[in-house]
Every structure is written in C-alpha cells, then in structure tokens.
Amino acid sequence: LRHDKKKIINPPTENVNAIYNYDDANLIITLSRECNGLKRIHYFTYNDAQQLITEKEIQDGITLIEKKYKYDKNGNLYNKKDFVAREYDYYKTYDDKKNPFSLIYPDAYLKVYKLSKNNIKSCNINGKSYTYEYEYNSSNYPVKIIEKNGRKIQSETIIEYRKI
C-alpha cells in the first residue's frame, strides 16, 4: 500500500491495480481499477453530511452500474438501489451497537464500501430476507454473528479482539 498526497495506491493483486483519489474533505471521489488491461472507474458523490449518495461504475465511457443510497436518522445505510439492466432494491435495519469494521478502516473507506457505524439486524434484497443475531462483549462490539435466511443458518462468525 502506497500513499501519495491525495490518493492511495494498492499494489497489484491478481493483476489488479486500484487507485483511490480523495478530495479536500478526505472523501474518496474516484476509484480506478485496472485488471488485465481493462480499466473501470467508480465515481462517488456525497451529501452535506458526507454520506455516499451515488456511485457510478464506468468502463470505456459506458455506465455499467449506478447505485443510489439512502440513510436512516442514525446515519446507517437504509436503502440501496442498483440500476443495471433492471433495478435491484436493498433494505436494512440496524442495532444500536458498534460495528467492528470502524476499528480497522478509515472513514473514507467505510463510506465507499457501505459499512455503517452499527450492525445489520435484517436485510431484504429483492424479496430475500436475511437476519443477523449477535452476541456482544462488554464494549458493545459483536463477538458472535449468526446469519440466517429464514430459519436456515447461512453462516456463523466468531470475532476476537486484541489490544496491541
């Protein structure tokens, strides 16, 4: 990982080179990815609260996908609409506990990768419903996450925290 004045450059991984460009408010405004000669550019726009509201992915002058985002009163991502060949709809609800990703990623990264300050309790993606059950430590961070599709457990994640 290399950091220039207004961008972070990831070293090539599996023939992918990614360049993140930041504005004066330290928000990611473009992400350029090049893989095997194909270049895609993601453009990000934000509202006055510095929340991501639109993302466009463009290749060779053609918009491949456009995404629009809405937030709840706590600043968590509530709704995401993807426009490709057809519209996809995502809805989420959140708990009031701390999201562990906030411990490891900078705010600019969390915004473009749609990671909210709280943990997802439920999610509806085009009619498919998922729920998440948590166990928390004394600092209100999750230590166990169970993802379910209906009554069926999709995954179980154990998280361990260490102070360094």
Side-chain angles (χ1 to χ4, degrees):
L1 190 65
R2 193 173 84 227
H3 185 271
D4 290 344
K5 184 176 180 177
K6 289 281 184 199
K7 58 186 166 184
I8 292 178
I9 302 172
N10 287 342
T13 307
E14 299 179 19
N15 299 322
V16 176
N17 191 30
I19 300 173
Y20 295 83
N21 292 295
Y22 292 79
D23 66 9
D24 291 334
N26 207 28
L27 298 170
I28 297 172
I29 52 173
T30 62
L31 163 58
S32 301
R33 289 186 182 173
E34 190 169 337
C35 179
N36 300 323
L38 295 175
K39 185 175 183 178
R40 290 187 178 179
I41 302 173
H42 298 254
Y43 293 92
F44 305 99
T45 56
Y46 302 85
N47 62 19
D48 291 339
Q50 296 187 340
Q51 295 167 318
L52 181 66
I53 55 171
T54 61
E55 174 186 354
K56 284 187 182 182
E57 183 178 341
I58 297 175
Q59 181 178 321
D60 297 327
I62 299 169
T63 300
L64 301 176
I65 189 167
E66 182 176 352
K67 301 174 184 179
K68 295 186 179 196
Y69 306 95
K70 293 181 182 177
Y71 299 86
D72 66 16
K73 65 181 178 176
N74 294 318
N76 290 307
L77 178 64
Y78 169 74
N79 176 251
K80 174 178 131 180
K81 290 185 183 275
D82 291 352
F83 302 90
V84 193
R86 61 186 178 135
E87 184 177 318
Y88 291 91
D89 231 348
Y90 301 79
Y91 290 92
K92 297 179 181 179
T93 61
Y94 297 85
D95 65 9
D96 60 352
K97 308 292 190 256
K98 299 174 184 174
N99 185 326
F101 290 111
S102 64
L103 295 171
I104 54 176
Y105 295 112
D107 282 343
Y109 182 90
L110 294 172
K111 289 177 190 295
V112 299
Y113 287 99
K114 287 70 80 185
L115 298 169
S116 295
K117 66 180 183 175
N118 302 109
N119 303 292
I120 298 170
K121 287 187 72 165
S122 66
C123 165
N124 184 306
I125 304 170
N126 285 337
K128 292 184 181 179
S129 295
Y130 298 89
T131 57
Y132 301 85
E133 297 174 3
Y134 297 90
E135 291 179 18
Y136 302 94
N137 65 15
S138 61
S139 298
N140 285 328
Y141 285 104
V143 293
K144 183 177 181 181
I145 306 167
I146 298 173
E147 177 185 359
K148 292 182 177 180
N149 181 351
R151 294 182 182 202
K152 182 180 178 188
I153 294 176
Q154 296 292 308
S155 67
E156 187 173 314
T157 304
I158 305 295
I159 302 172
E160 183 178 320
Y161 301 91
R162 295 182 186 169
K163 289 187 180 183
I164 299 176

